[in-house]
Amino acid sequence: MKKVLMIAYSFPPAGGPGVQRTSKFVKYLRDFGWEPVVFTRDTENMPLRDDSLLKDIPEGIATIRVKSWDISAHKGIRGLMGKVISRKILIPDSERLWQIFEQKKAAEAVINEKIDMIYTTSLPYSSHLMGLYLKKRFPSIPWVADFRDEWTNNPYILDNPYNPLRMRIERKMERNVLKAADCLITNTPVMLRNFIEKNPDLELKDKFFAISNGYDSDDFKHIASEKQKNDKFTITYTGSFYGRRKPDIFFEALHQLLSEGKIDRKKLLVKLIGNFKQDHIKQLLDRYMLQEVVAVSPYMKHDECISNMIASDCLLLIEGGGPGAEAFYTGKVFEYMTTGRPIIAIIPAKGAAAQVIRETKTGYISDVNDVQGAKDNIIKLYTAWLENENIFSPDFNAIRRFDRRALTEELSKVFEKAESRVKR
């Protein structure tokens, strides 16, 4: 069996949605002739930890853990200084020290493990710089770089641009990765198109592929999909709010529906599950008079989170608008669509996530600033709940295209493409 070195800074037991793309690839790659060897950070001072995700890692997978060099993890003044250095000085991200000081160990792993393929995934983008270093050391070994998010065209950078010097440096780093990698992967077709259009001189079309995030049917096998009717119409949101991703339009829609008497306050429950700035959420709940109907819970283990989703009447998906926003699938949309519960989506109406929801018939969409559209979708599902009427009919054949095992097979085909490019 051929071996692939998978360079992933975020890997179980690290928690969060970005971890699962790599861990699910690792879970299924053996089925397609590839033995993963994972190169990642150590487990000390992980900001978010979820040991339940370790169950996805097959027995016997070699995992090489090295020092994280996370200078923001220190306590007190050292930690504060570390955060400033990580955000303001290190380029392209806070993991640059990890890349610089541990890339020689990655090279040792290539030799000792007799690696046939190198795979890097971002965030952090420093993982790709480690891949670039390895490609220069081992030019005959194919390298595949996987962009979970765009780099210099990332909406969060577009909203808060770095200074011109830093942007030039990062743009050069990005182009070096695009040129050197044998194959490249993006999370959505829109991201793929953006990379190609913004780099017309690099002839990327033949080596760029789109592999979406997805869901793992194994995650749902032990959880009953049938549920009793809730005493309250239950809407659940999982994740976090930051940058453009804000709950304001949803809260405004709820506030209006409650004020207009279209929803009985005593028959509504909204669950927010994830990492939230508690003071900010409290201010919003006070502003929209939703204190009695919204329950806020901290990050919970993946299995427990899925149980909460399935026990809900519908699931809330929120993404902000603005330049570049159409490129995103938020990863949770795929797990949402597998629960058999309808999605209330307040997202870019012409974006990638909206397209997937329409194709799979898994939810109701309103644009990012459309309060009336959000109200219409909420009341439609609330009324159906009241009347015990089923108005939801997802297309399960379309949903199955996003099964993690099938997506891993697509990755194995990209590996084959990368091998053929090196052999030319």
Side-chain angles (χ1 to χ4, degrees), residues 23 65 294 318 393:
S23 65
R65 295 191 180 275
V294 176
I318 296 176
S393 183

Side-chain angles (χ1 to χ4, degrees), residues 51 56 102 104 131 145 171 185 189 197 215 234 238 244 246 303-304 326 377 393 400 408 423:
D51 288 282
D56 280 331
E102 302 298 338
K104 288 185 178 179
R171 182 69 176 138
I185 300 172
E197 289 179 352
Y215 70 91
T234 303
T238 67
R244 299 175 181 177
K246 302 175 182 178
D303 289 352
E304 188 179 355
E326 291 80 9
N377 291 336
S393 183
R400 277 190 281 272
T408 305
K423 290 175 182 177

Side-chain angles (χ1 to χ4, degrees), residues 19-25 146 148 185 187 211-213:
V19 173
Q20 293 184 44
R21 182 173 174 90
T22 307
S23 65
K24 299 298 185 181
F25 284 152
D146 182 12
R148 301 197 306 272
I185 300 172
N187 201 359
I211 301 178
S212 73
N213 284 324

Side-chain angles (χ1 to χ4, degrees), residues 94-156:
S94 59
E95 289 74 26
R96 185 67 193 280
L97 295 178
W98 172 75
Q99 174 249 315
I100 291 171
F101 292 121
E102 302 298 338
Q103 60 189 12
K104 288 185 178 179
K105 290 183 181 177
E108 291 171 5
V110 171
I111 297 168
N112 295 337
E113 296 289 340
K114 298 180 173 59
I115 293 298
D116 302 290
M117 175 73 60
I118 295 166
Y119 165 93
T120 58
T121 182
S122 60
L123 301 169
Y125 305 112
S126 290
S127 294
H128 296 318
L129 298 183
M130 189 177 286
L132 185 62
Y133 167 83
L134 294 176
K135 185 63 180 176
K136 291 176 180 177
R137 285 280 309 269
F138 309 100
S140 64
I141 297 179
W143 169 32
V144 174
D146 182 12
F147 289 88
R148 301 197 306 272
D149 298 302
E150 290 180 85
W151 189 339
T152 57
N153 196 51
N154 191 300
Y156 300 106

Side-chain angles (χ1 to χ4, degrees), residues 261-276:
K262 294 180 179 178
I263 291 181
D264 184 344
R265 187 177 291 269
K266 295 179 181 179
K267 294 183 178 179
L268 176 65
L269 173 63
V270 177
K271 294 182 179 181
L272 304 180
I273 302 172
N275 291 316
F276 305 104

Side-chain angles (χ1 to χ4, degrees), residues 125-349:
Y125 305 112
S126 290
S127 294
H128 296 318
L129 298 183
M130 189 177 286
L132 185 62
Y133 167 83
L134 294 176
K135 185 63 180 176
K136 291 176 180 177
R137 285 280 309 269
F138 309 100
S140 64
I141 297 179
W143 169 32
V144 174
D146 182 12
F147 289 88
R148 301 197 306 272
D149 298 302
E150 290 180 85
W151 189 339
T152 57
N153 196 51
N154 191 300
Y156 300 106
I157 294 178
L158 296 179
D159 286 349
N160 301 284
Y162 301 129
N163 64 69
L165 176 59
R166 174 166 179 169
M167 288 304 297
R168 285 197 297 272
I169 293 171
E170 292 212 31
R171 182 69 176 138
K172 184 177 180 180
M173 288 176 171
E174 179 183 47
R175 284 176 59 83
N176 287 339
V177 169
L178 297 177
K179 285 188 288 187
D182 297 293
C183 282
L184 300 139
I185 300 172
T186 62
N187 201 359
T188 73
V190 179
M191 286 185 195
L192 186 154
R193 187 181 68 232
N194 288 346
F195 271 114
I196 292 173
E197 289 179 352
K198 291 183 179 299
N199 300 276
D201 59 312
L202 297 186
E203 298 181 355
L204 299 175
K205 187 175 181 180
D206 291 337
K207 67 175 187 175
F208 237 130
F209 304 87
I211 301 178
S212 73
N213 284 324
Y215 70 91
D216 188 349
S217 54
D218 281 356
D219 292 342
F220 296 81
K221 283 182 178 177
H222 65 291
I223 301 172
S225 59
E226 299 297 325
K227 71 178 185 65
Q228 300 296 317
K229 182 176 179 179
N230 292 314
D231 294 333
K232 296 182 178 182
F233 178 63
T234 303
I235 305 172
T236 296
Y237 175 89
T238 67
S240 58
F241 297 125
Y242 61 91
R244 299 175 181 177
R245 187 184 298 165
K246 302 175 182 178
D248 300 60
I249 297 300
F250 173 68
F251 284 170
E252 175 63 30
L254 277 187
H255 170 73
Q256 291 186 23
L257 288 169
L258 292 167
S259 300
E260 294 163 3
K262 294 180 179 178
I263 291 181
D264 184 344
R265 187 177 291 269
K266 295 179 181 179
K267 294 183 178 179
L268 176 65
L269 173 63
V270 177
K271 294 182 179 181
L272 304 180
I273 302 172
N275 291 316
F276 305 104
K277 295 180 180 178
Q278 297 296 325
D279 291 344
H280 181 60
I281 290 292
K282 185 179 184 303
Q283 290 174 6
L284 290 174
L285 297 181
D286 290 344
R287 181 191 308 168
Y288 294 104
M289 295 182 286
L290 297 173
Q291 306 94 325
E292 297 175 5
V293 301
V294 176
V296 182
S297 301
Y299 177 88
M300 58 180 62
K301 291 182 178 180
H302 190 228
D303 289 352
E304 188 179 355
C305 190
I306 289 175
S307 295
N308 272 271
M309 289 191 287
I310 290 176
S312 304
D313 297 294
C314 61
L315 303 170
L316 176 63
L317 185 69
I318 296 176
E319 282 295 334
E326 291 80 9
F328 279 85
Y329 302 136
T330 177
K332 75 186 73 172
V333 69
F334 300 101
E335 287 195 332
Y336 274 13
M337 66 174 58
T338 314
T339 62
R341 307 294 176 255
I343 300 169
I344 294 176
I346 303 173
I347 57 179

